[in-house]
Amino acid sequence: MKKISPIYFLLISLFVSSCACDGETMVKGMMWGFSKIAGEGYIPSAEIMALGEFESVEVNVSQEYTDGENQGTIELRLFNGKSPEMRMSEENVARRCAELYSQGYSKIEDYKTIKISFIQTDPFNAENYAISEYTFEVKDLLTSPNSEENGI
């Protein structure tokens, strides 16, 4: 086992101590690094969150190749949407969320499908929840006309 040189330890501690004073700068740096690894737009935009007035979002990605063909999937799990559009036209909101995400995510072409999951939880019992899922082909989203005609 190789020992860490005191010089490396000193450099690392100086770097950490200089960043630790300004938490906002440190978080921005971590988000910048995460965006470089995962791709710009990996975290859904505020526009997507506002579309359904969602409380929170989770992003799950999986890359799978079957017989040399990409079967990658992105899943957006949007929690507790409260907008009137969610009650009137959930399918259109799901399509619009998928379109907005595909326009904003720089590595979208690495995936075949986007699955939008709307999760509504019971405010009195967290074990009770309802899930609605919609799946879209990425190639259709990238070539689709403006969804303003779809009522959103």
Side-chain angles (χ1 to χ4, degrees):
M1 179 177 244
K2 197 173 186 180
K3 275 185 132 176
I4 296 178
S5 169
I7 294 172
Y8 289 126
F9 182 72
L10 179 64
L11 289 174
I12 290 171
S13 64
L14 284 173
F15 174 74
V16 171
S17 66
S18 68
C19 292
C21 295
D22 187 8
E24 185 177 338
T25 303
M26 199 161 134
V27 169
K28 283 182 183 178
M30 289 184 339
M31 290 303 292
W32 177 84
F34 180 75
S35 290
K36 292 298 175 191
I37 293 169
E40 292 293 324
Y42 176 80
I43 306 291
S45 68
E47 187 177 0
I48 292 173
M49 297 298 290
L51 186 63
E53 297 177 23
F54 299 107
E55 289 179 2
S56 62
V57 63
E58 292 177 1
V59 181
N60 299 314
V61 295
S62 66
Q63 273 296 14
E64 191 175 305
Y65 291 91
T66 305
D67 298 327
E69 186 178 327
N70 180 7
Q71 300 296 322
T73 301
I74 298 172
E75 180 183 10
L76 296 181
R77 302 182 77 192
L78 299 150
F79 291 86
N80 299 322
K82 298 178 195 95
S83 73
E85 292 83 13
M86 285 290 295
R87 290 188 295 276
M88 295 185 320
S89 182
E90 190 175 86
E91 299 85 10
N92 286 340
V93 173
R95 173 105 185 157
R96 186 68 183 138
C97 287
E99 288 173 346
L100 287 170
Y101 191 78
S102 65
Q103 292 167 1
Y105 184 39
S106 64
K107 294 185 178 183
I108 192 68
E109 293 165 348
D110 294 346
Y111 299 91
K112 184 176 181 181
T113 58
I114 294 180
K115 184 163 86 171
I116 304 294
S117 299
F118 295 132
I119 301 166
Q120 293 293 130
T121 57
D122 184 345
F124 302 108
N125 184 354
E127 293 179 10
N128 293 332
Y129 56 90
I131 300 176
S132 300
E133 297 180 331
Y134 302 90
T135 303
F136 304 96
E137 295 287 323
V138 169
K139 65 180 178 180
D140 295 339
L141 295 170
L142 295 176
T143 59
S144 70
N146 191 349
S147 67
E148 294 299 321
E149 304 152 7
N150 295 333
I152 296 181

